[in-house]
Amino acid sequence: MIIRNLHLGCETFGELLEGAPGLSHTLLAQRLKQLERLGIVEVTPKALGRGHRYLLTESGDDLFTVCVTLGEWGARWLEVAPEHLDPFVALWSMCNALRPERLPDRRVVIRLDFTGYRRHERYWLLVEHADTEICKEYPGLDEDLFVTADAEAFVKWHLGQLSWAQAIRDSRIQLDGPSWLVKAFPTWNGRSMFAHIKPDRRIGKTPAAIT
């Protein structure tokens, strides 16, 4: 996750931590120190303010290609395990790969309610000037679109394992808002880099998947 997040452009400790749910502050600090010792990550002071910037070295870029290969293998051969159905991870990944040319030219606030994953979770997505921000608390702005989604369906849509049409037809994803926004929302999606890989049909007929 750390290598992926660095490749996606996360440079601060906070950005890396936000994109790695389940990874503690202490463990992330330890991993970054280890990656720095191995010459995979370069750490430099911020130009302004306190803190550091974390960047992949040439070795780190090469390691990312290894991660991609492992991801492709997993997308083809492994089932999505229940612990990997965190909708925040899918939402975070989606926001780091949105198609800016398809985003509206005005501010849009989207409320997302996820069900079926541990507990009910609610987030707000702010879209403005081709930039996005995920809020865990109500941002105090008028909401333009309401999305209610089964967490598994949302994650599998992002991964390319479930079509938007099928999720809507089965009422696993529901949208309420202006028709133009309802139609536009799924077209913004920066799908997973592995969304083009079709799972092998033998998945589920083999022993428990490796997580």
Side-chain angles (χ1 to χ4, degrees), residues 43-62:
V43 184
T44 60
K46 287 183 179 178
L48 298 173
R50 302 174 58 183
H52 297 83
R53 295 173 65 243
Y54 300 87
L55 301 169
L56 289 176
T57 62
E58 184 177 353
S59 172
D61 287 330
D62 279 351

Side-chain angles (χ1 to χ4, degrees), residues 2-10 56 61 64 193:
I2 297 171
I3 300 300
R4 176 203 64 188
N5 294 354
L6 287 167
H7 175 78
L8 288 173
C10 296
L56 289 176
D61 287 330
F64 178 73
M193 66 176 66

Side-chain angles (χ1 to χ4, degrees), residues 69-88:
T69 300
L70 286 172
E72 291 174 345
W73 176 82
R76 180 171 291 113
W77 293 105
L78 302 184
E79 291 184 274
V80 179
E83 61 267 28
H84 296 153
L85 293 176
D86 188 339
F88 179 81

Side-chain angles (χ1 to χ4, degrees), residues 98-105 184 186-189:
L98 287 174
R99 300 169 179 172
E101 73 279 2
R102 298 193 178 186
L103 296 178
D105 56 6
T187 71
W188 303 345
N189 187 21

Side-chain angles (χ1 to χ4, degrees), residues 1 4-5 16-24 86 88-89 92 117:
M1 288 189 293
R4 176 203 64 188
N5 294 354
L16 291 169
L17 190 63
E18 184 180 40
L23 196 64
S24 70
D86 188 339
F88 179 81
V89 176
W92 182 90
Y117 176 76

Side-chain angles (χ1 to χ4, degrees), residues 189-207:
N189 187 21
R191 305 290 287 277
S192 163
M193 66 176 66
F194 308 117
H196 64 287
I197 298 176
K198 294 183 178 180
D200 189 273
R201 293 182 179 179
R202 288 169 288 181
I203 287 179
K205 299 179 182 180
T206 57

Side-chain angles (χ1 to χ4, degrees), residues 124-207:
W124 286 265
L125 178 62
L126 275 61
V127 181
E128 188 170 16
H129 303 306
D131 193 16
T132 59
E133 180 183 354
I134 302 173
C135 300
K136 296 182 179 180
E137 302 290 339
Y138 176 54
L141 300 169
D142 290 340
E143 298 160 329
D144 301 292
L145 180 68
F146 300 86
V147 178
T148 303
D150 170 69
E152 180 180 6
F154 189 84
V155 171
K156 289 191 172 181
W157 166 61
H158 176 67
L159 293 175
Q161 297 181 9
L162 179 69
S163 71
W164 183 259
Q166 183 178 348
I168 293 293
R169 184 172 60 249
D170 296 341
S171 297
R172 299 184 71 187
I173 297 179
Q174 302 178 58
L175 289 83
D176 182 24
S179 58
W180 72 269
L181 199 49
V182 169
K183 293 177 181 178
F185 179 74
T187 71
W188 303 345
N189 187 21
R191 305 290 287 277
S192 163
M193 66 176 66
F194 308 117
H196 64 287
I197 298 176
K198 294 183 178 180
D200 189 273
R201 293 182 179 179
R202 288 169 288 181
I203 287 179
K205 299 179 182 180
T206 57

